[in-house]
Amino acid sequence: MNHRHAIAITACLAALAAPALAASDDELIAETKKTALGIPPKLLAMVQEEIDKGSYHGAIAACSEKAPKMAAAASQNTGWAIRRVSLKNRNPKAVPDAWERAVLEDFDRRQAAGENPADLEKAEIVTDGGTRMVRYMKALPVQDVCVKCHGPGDQITSEVKAKLAEIYPDDKATGYKRGQIRGALTVKRPL
């Protein structure tokens, strides 16, 4: 076999291997999404349960204490970094990194162009610091239950404002209307 034949065979083998890698990447992304997407409904249910009890303090605690614990537990169980981020963060730990910021800004542009915020997500395989990983984000639109703590100032009671100021003195996460993108669930999954 001459050198040209060897190069041609190598190129054909590489072409045949590419779909298998893509399918594997798709499977990794699908598995990542499935795991991550279980968190937001649980959080909303906890918040709604507290509100149904008449406890906005409990709802604030669900978002400020229980949600990070849920994400931390999921992170510990999977070995992935799972958290919530926002361009207008309430929690100082919810500041997006550069990749997350770009995705959140893209989500805002896409929503402004008419896309449904509940459908906005981004997933890709990237290399970060020499580590190959799945990066995934899912937009978290403001629901009716969110407006009492994240809505326009005139829709937030003085009691809720006082509690938020106590827990989050640098809060930037108000002024939202139902359906706007509050932030996103984000995952960094090392491969």
Side-chain angles (χ1 to χ4, degrees):
M1 176 170 21
N2 68 31
H3 184 63
R4 275 195 232 159
H5 284 106
I7 291 173
I9 290 171
T10 301
C12 287
L13 290 174
L16 290 173
L21 289 176
S24 177
D25 287 352
D26 289 345
E27 289 170 8
L28 289 168
I29 289 170
E31 181 183 41
T32 303
K33 288 170 54 172
K34 182 179 178 185
T35 300
L37 293 178
I39 296 172
K42 291 176 187 173
L43 173 60
L44 283 173
M46 281 192 305
V47 170
Q48 188 62 58
E49 183 179 325
E50 292 298 331
I51 290 173
D52 290 346
K53 291 180 196 174
S55 173
Y56 283 97
H57 286 275
I60 293 167
C63 278
S64 67
E65 298 167 16
K66 293 178 183 177
K69 287 179 183 175
M70 288 171 58
S75 294
Q76 185 171 355
N77 289 338
T78 60
W80 313 343
I82 302 172
R83 64 192 189 111
R84 294 176 300 162
V85 294
S86 177
L87 294 174
K88 289 174 50 177
N89 61 299
R90 173 163 282 167
N91 183 332
K93 296 178 182 175
V95 175
D97 65 23
W99 187 88
E100 294 162 338
R101 176 172 291 285
V103 173
L104 286 166
E105 290 169 349
D106 181 58
F107 285 172
D108 284 345
R109 283 189 293 275
R110 290 169 59 191
Q111 180 182 15
E115 287 188 57
N116 180 350
D119 296 334
L120 297 176
E121 64 182 349
K122 167 114 178 157
E124 66 180 328
I125 306 291
V126 302
T127 300
D128 185 10
T131 302
R132 190 168 178 262
M133 66 179 62
V134 175
R135 295 294 311 254
Y136 174 71
M137 284 182 66
K138 174 71 174 161
L140 299 173
V142 174
Q143 314 262 334
D144 288 334
V145 69
C146 308
V147 176
K148 297 293 183 184
C149 294
H150 291 286
D154 62 346
Q155 293 182 20
I156 302 174
T157 67
S158 57
E159 178 187 7
V160 169
K161 286 179 185 177
K163 186 66 175 174
L164 290 172
E166 174 189 323
I167 298 172
Y168 300 112
D170 297 320
D171 183 18
K172 301 175 193 126
T174 58
Y176 287 99
K177 295 179 185 165
R178 186 184 188 288
Q180 288 183 305
I181 298 169
R182 163 71 187 94
L185 180 70
T186 183
V187 179
K188 289 171 75 171
R189 177 185 180 181
L191 301 176

